[in-house]
Every structure is written in structure tokens, then in C-alpha cells.
Amino acid sequence: MQISANGISLNYEVDGPDGAPWITFSNSLAADLTMWDVQAEHFKDRYRVLRYDTRGHGKSEPLQGPYTLDMLADDVLALWENLEVTKSHFVGLSLGGMTAQCLALNNPDRLHSMAVCDSRADCPEGYRTNWHQRIPEVEKNGMEPLVEPTIQRWFTDDCRSAHPDMMDKVRNMIRSTSSLGYIGCAHAILGLDYLSQLKDISLPSVFIVGAQDGGTPPEAAQDMHKEVSGSQYAEIDPAAHVSNMENPGAFNSVLDNFLSGLK
């Protein structure tokens, strides 16, 4: 479904019963809301599940960038306003996890909890270099050159071999991402600088990471976990960067245990 929010058209899907607690899922860079299909099916009997395409991704409108993390968080707030969501659990992976941190720092009254998955809170020099390489590549040649390298980062060798149909689905998801959206969001990541502020978060929080995630490694998740008092930490093994798709059973179990502990 499409809705006008924060000056753009955002695509979203809602599942689950009216009156149930809201849980919002936010996608990674170069993905869309379908990356959460298994989670939506798993949680829809107990929660009002909201998935949306980050601006410039999936069927959400791409605008000329650069974007900021504040802008991406404002998109969520505007979407919630339109859907009359006063408060929600928030689950974000990679870029979505950065959006979660922005919301938790600036709008904690709108969150029941946050789950930051396969993400990080800072942008050190080596990490910045990746984006300074990818942005001009996409500006010049579009998304196609990124498809196979992204697949290799997102999933372990065993997963890629065992699930060719899922890999083809993900290839199409990456390939169909708007270049404008990718570049705009990449600039938002370059502005990432939350690590020193995380100690101010008092929301129930869990940091989830694939044990084989090389892009946002377990060490980055552990650094965030140490800063947020009372937070939980879990590694999904086996899983690389997109842990919710590679090992959904383990991922859903961790999220189930975290959410059930809040009741």
C-alpha cells in the first residue's frame, strides 16, 4: 500500500489483528520489505506487523539525495502518524538498525523496544572507504555491479549453495533498488555517529548479529550492547549479514524471547 508521508510516497504492508501491539520492521540498504516475509508470517498472530520500504527502496519514492538518518527516522514517524501508531516495537537490520538508534535517541516515547540487527553505531575510516567506493560506482554504472558482491557479503557460502531460489529473489531485490535511493541512503550512513550517545538509551534493547557477518561484525554489535544498560546480545550462527533471512528460525527465536520478556 502507498501513503504520502514526510513529503514522499512510502510503500508499506500491515498484517495482524487490530488492537495488537505494533511491531515495525525496517529493511537494509538495497533491500525492501519482502526481506521480512518470514518474520511477518511468524509474528502476525500476536502483533500488528508493519513493514515498509525505506525511501528510495522497493516501491517507496526515490528522491535526489543525499539523505540523513534523521530524515529516514522522520519518514517512520510520519508513517506512524498516518497509520495512527502511537507506539511500536522497532526491528531494523543494517541501515534499519541505524534508523532504530536514531528513533531511540530522539523519540524514545514512541518505542516499546528496539532490536538492532547486523548494524553498527559508528562509521570508522575503513567502513567509510567502502561507501566512498560504492557511491561513484553506482553513479556511473547503476546497481548491477553491486549485485554479486552484495550477495557474497550478505550470506555464507553454504547458504548461497543451499538456497538458490532465495538468492535469485535477493538478486532481484538488489537489482531493482533505485540508484538514487541507494546513493541517498549511503550518504546517510556516512553520517553515522551514535556510539557515544547510546548510553542515553534506556529502552529495552537487543543487539542481534550473524556470527559470520563481515560487514557489521559481532564486535560492532558488542560495542553497542556494552553502551546500552540492560540490553541483550545474541549471535545467530550460522549467518552472515542478513541473519533474519539466512537463519530465520534462530533469529525469530531470539526476537521471541526478547519480546516475551517484556510482558
Side-chain angles (χ1 to χ4, degrees):
M1 294 181 279
Q2 296 284 328
I3 199 166
S4 180
N6 200 27
I8 64 170
S9 177
L10 289 176
N11 183 58
Y12 71 97
E13 296 288 343
V14 174
D15 298 283
D18 288 329
W22 285 92
I23 184 168
T24 303
F25 289 90
S26 183
N27 59 273
S28 72
L29 185 69
D32 60 39
L33 61 78
T34 64
M35 69 172 282
W36 299 110
D37 282 352
V38 175
Q39 283 69 45
E41 184 66 26
H42 180 78
F43 287 101
K44 70 179 184 180
D45 291 338
R46 293 162 289 154
Y47 294 90
R48 190 78 162 149
V49 177
L50 169 62
R51 295 173 291 156
Y52 72 99
D53 290 331
T54 297
R55 66 164 56 204
H57 288 66
K59 298 177 183 176
S60 287
E61 185 178 5
L63 296 180
Q64 191 77 37
Y67 309 159
T68 66
L69 291 171
D70 284 338
M71 187 183 297
L72 301 185
D74 286 345
D75 289 347
V76 176
L77 294 171
L79 179 59
W80 282 347
E81 192 70 25
N82 276 274
L83 297 177
E84 300 182 346
V85 179
T86 57
K87 206 163 188 175
S88 177
H89 300 283
F90 195 91
V91 183
L93 189 140
S94 196
L95 176 63
M98 299 168 193
T99 305
Q101 295 170 68
C102 187
L103 287 166
L105 287 166
N106 297 326
N107 303 93
D109 57 311
R110 303 299 300 274
L111 300 181
H112 290 301
S113 71
M114 75 167 183
V116 176
C117 314
D118 297 281
S119 191
R120 63 183 308 135
D122 60 349
C123 194
E125 189 57 37
Y127 190 61
R128 295 178 67 82
T129 299
N130 293 331
W131 302 112
H132 286 306
Q133 292 171 347
R134 291 175 199 165
I135 289 170
E137 174 74 11
V138 174
E139 287 174 336
K140 181 179 180 181
N141 299 310
M143 292 299 295
E144 188 62 36
L146 269 61
V147 173
E148 291 306 321
T150 301
I151 286 285
Q152 291 173 18
R153 287 193 307 272
W154 280 10
F155 302 98
T156 63
D157 292 345
D158 287 346
C159 181
R160 295 198 306 272
S161 297
H163 301 286
D165 290 344
M166 184 170 75
M167 294 304 104
D168 286 342
K169 172 187 172 182
V170 175
R171 286 185 179 94
N172 290 332
M173 186 166 59
I174 299 165
R175 187 175 286 121
S176 64
T177 300
S178 159
S179 294
L180 286 178
Y182 185 94
I183 292 166
C185 287
H187 280 291
I189 293 172
L190 284 169
L192 180 65
D193 188 20
Y194 293 142
L195 189 59
S196 64
Q197 303 175 56
L198 294 185
K199 61 183 181 297
D200 297 329
I201 295 177
S202 57
L203 288 165
S205 304
V206 62
F207 297 94
I208 304 172
V209 63
Q212 290 79 38
D213 188 345
T216 53
E219 292 79 7
Q222 291 164 7
D223 287 343
M224 293 187 286
H225 166 55
K226 291 172 185 175
E227 293 295 319
V228 180
S229 179
S231 65
Q232 299 179 27
Y233 171 81
E235 286 187 20
I236 308 298
D237 190 7
H241 187 55
V242 187
S243 59
N244 73 299
M245 294 186 72
E246 176 155 356
N247 196 338
F251 184 94
N252 292 348
S253 179
V254 168
L255 199 51
D256 268 331
N257 290 337
F258 168 67
L259 294 169
S260 65
L262 305 180
K263 298 176 182 177

